[in-house]
Amino acid sequence: MRVLGIESSCDDTAAAVVTGDGRILSETNRHQYSVHEAHGGIVPGLAADQHLRNIPEVVRDTLAHANLTIHDIDAIAVTRGPGMPGGLTVGLAAAKTLACVHNKPLIGVHHMEAHALMARMTHTVNFPFVCLLASGGHTLTVAVHGVNEHTLIGSTRDDSVGEAFDKVARELNIPWINAQHGGGPGAALEALALEGDAARFAMPVPMDKTDSARSPDFSFSGLKTHVRRLREAAGFNIQDRQDRADVAAAFQTTAVRHLAKKTALAIVRARDILGTQPQTLVVSGGVACNQAVRAGLEALAMQHKMALVCPPPQLCTDNGVMIAWAGIERLRCGLLDPYSIDFIQRWPLDQLKHMRDRSE
């Protein structure tokens, strides 16, 4: 089985061909860091324009690098949502046209389910498991019962953790890292934090008060505001690299503590939801590339006698491989879609099963 996966939900135009046994035959990813850095964040209209320019060559190059033609592909998987409407429309139009013209099965993929399932391609991960999905657009914990079936446990009440990293990097005037893998503002903040002293500008852990401490939800807007206020405080000089490194380290340390505390609550709740002790904690999404995040959650998993599984860093950020693999998982379950499907901009992960039940 060979599946072509297409991803265009944010600022990466990506495609990959993956086999049923998890071999990556080829992958292509066009980033847009240079387009968006001057604006301090992703501009949806500019991102959609770049997708329009990039997607023909991305698909062509992916097939060529695998020494395949579209006739050798068994199915086409594409990100249906959630994400930016402009980018999703571009990817869906390409995938639907290819699938319809060449009479290939079409699989519309939920972006966050693709992140959650990615670990099953790179590691032996059995259902059920607990998953922390941490990215630029989302931060949530879910109990993963199986393909297409997820129970939401906690989610962010405001900013995602990835968004907070990006915005704090902007507050600290940290130049983005422009790299094929592991680039952007969040990676730049992580690199600078390595030079810093987290204790110098200690920050309060969010939602640590009595009324919110037991909630599995996340909140990062307060941390972002705290950093903004530090810019105006005596003893901090935005021009001083060490000052910026110390704040970056303090922010990152506090964000990791918050992630770990709320994920710990999610693990406890997952036991009741699943009716069993989950054996695996999967952490995926772009923020899972962060080594401090991985270290903090590794310690948490050990406390709960669970295995921590993170996909390789290059497969944590948005990519075509995860879409192709999710397509394979769904294809095996008979979860195909008509050529008429449209994008879904906001799409709670726990609605997947209910949407399929209604369609049947």
Side-chain angles (χ1 to χ4, degrees), residues 123-254:
H123 298 75
T124 300
V125 177
N126 296 318
F127 296 120
F129 59 87
V130 180
C131 186
L132 167 64
L133 296 167
S135 68
H138 303 84
T139 304
L140 60 154
T141 47
V142 292
V144 181
H145 304 263
V147 176
N148 205 55
E149 186 174 357
H150 313 268
T151 299
L152 178 66
I153 301 174
S155 61
T156 183
R157 296 183 176 183
D158 38 65
D159 295 339
S160 70
V161 61
E163 183 182 8
F165 266 83
D166 292 353
K167 289 182 176 179
V168 169
R170 182 171 60 188
E171 290 287 346
L172 297 177
N173 296 342
I174 304 173
W176 292 20
I177 293 175
N178 189 352
Q180 180 62 25
H181 297 297
L189 185 146
E190 179 187 4
L192 183 62
L194 292 173
E195 305 173 22
D197 175 8
R200 184 177 166 213
F201 293 103
M203 300 180 187
V205 177
M207 296 183 67
D208 210 29
K209 303 297 183 183
T210 304
D211 59 341
S212 57
R214 295 182 181 179
S215 169
D217 288 341
F218 304 90
S219 174
F220 293 94
S221 63
L223 273 180
K224 181 185 63 180
T225 302
H226 192 90
V227 172
R228 184 179 299 122
R229 288 173 178 166
L230 274 176
R231 283 186 52 133
E232 304 169 1
F236 176 77
N237 180 2
I238 192 64
Q239 303 301 325
D240 187 278
R241 182 178 180 86
Q242 190 60 56
D243 281 5
R244 289 185 290 138
D246 290 346
V247 172
F251 164 78
Q252 179 173 263
T253 297
T254 308

Side-chain angles (χ1 to χ4, degrees), residues 24-355:
I24 303 170
L25 299 185
S26 66
E27 63 173 316
T28 309
N29 198 333
R30 298 280 179 88
H31 298 296
Q32 301 180 16
Y33 299 135
S34 60
V35 175
H36 300 285
E37 181 177 9
H39 302 278
I42 307 304
V43 181
L46 292 177
D49 290 344
Q50 292 299 307
H51 287 308
L52 276 171
R53 295 181 182 183
N54 292 336
I55 206 160
E57 293 182 355
V58 165
V59 173
R60 180 200 64 191
D61 292 351
T62 299
L63 291 171
H65 294 157
N67 293 316
L68 300 172
T69 71
I70 194 66
H71 303 290
D72 301 311
I73 298 299
D74 296 300
I76 298 173
V78 60
T79 305
R80 186 180 181 186
M84 298 179 182
L88 292 171
T89 299
V90 172
L92 270 171
K96 288 163 61 176
T97 302
L98 281 170
C100 186
V101 168
H102 296 283
N103 196 30
K104 304 291 183 181
L106 179 70
I107 305 113
V109 170
H110 190 295
H111 183 84
M112 300 313 292
E113 181 178 56
H115 275 305
L117 296 177
M118 187 72 263
R120 283 173 45 85
M121 191 191 91
T122 59
H123 298 75
T124 300
V125 177
N126 296 318
F127 296 120
F129 59 87
V130 180
C131 186
L132 167 64
L133 296 167
S135 68
H138 303 84
T139 304
L140 60 154
T141 47
V142 292
V144 181
H145 304 263
V147 176
N148 205 55
E149 186 174 357
H150 313 268
T151 299
L152 178 66
I153 301 174
S155 61
T156 183
R157 296 183 176 183
D158 38 65
D159 295 339
S160 70
V161 61
E163 183 182 8
F165 266 83
D166 292 353
K167 289 182 176 179
V168 169
R170 182 171 60 188
E171 290 287 346
L172 297 177
N173 296 342
I174 304 173
W176 292 20
I177 293 175
N178 189 352
Q180 180 62 25
H181 297 297
L189 185 146
E190 179 187 4
L192 183 62
L194 292 173
E195 305 173 22
D197 175 8
R200 184 177 166 213
F201 293 103
M203 300 180 187
V205 177
M207 296 183 67
D208 210 29
K209 303 297 183 183
T210 304
D211 59 341
S212 57
R214 295 182 181 179
S215 169
D217 288 341
F218 304 90
S219 174
F220 293 94
S221 63
L223 273 180
K224 181 185 63 180
T225 302
H226 192 90
V227 172
R228 184 179 299 122
R229 288 173 178 166
L230 274 176
R231 283 186 52 133
E232 304 169 1
F236 176 77
N237 180 2
I238 192 64
Q239 303 301 325
D240 187 278
R241 182 178 180 86
Q242 190 60 56
D243 281 5
R244 289 185 290 138
D246 290 346
V247 172
F251 164 78
Q252 179 173 263
T253 297
T254 308
V256 170
R257 287 175 181 164
H258 182 49
L259 283 172
K261 282 192 173 186
K262 296 305 183 179
T263 302
L265 292 173
I267 290 171
V268 173
R269 294 201 180 190
R271 292 173 189 158
D272 296 331
I273 293 168
L274 298 171
T276 186
Q277 168 63 43
Q279 300 300 306
T280 308
L281 171 62
V282 170
V283 181
S284 193
V287 178
C289 294
N290 184 294
Q291 293 304 307
V293 170
R294 290 192 179 213
L297 294 170
E298 177 71 53
L300 173 67
M302 290 179 64
Q303 290 172 13
H304 289 269
K305 299 181 180 179
M306 299 172 70
L308 176 72
V309 175
C310 302
Q314 68 270 22
L315 296 180
C316 285
T317 54
D318 293 351
N319 60 84
V321 173
M322 72 182 200
I323 304 304
W325 179 253
I328 289 169
E329 294 257 36
R330 295 182 69 80
L331 184 60
R332 286 173 174 157
C333 297
L335 300 171
L336 305 180
D337 291 291
Y339 300 138
S340 58
I341 59 170
D342 201 355
F343 73 85
I344 304 176
Q345 180 180 4
R346 294 180 178 85
W347 192 4
L349 184 54
D350 55 353
Q351 287 185 5
L352 260 179
K353 183 178 186 297
H354 303 298
M355 288 179 62

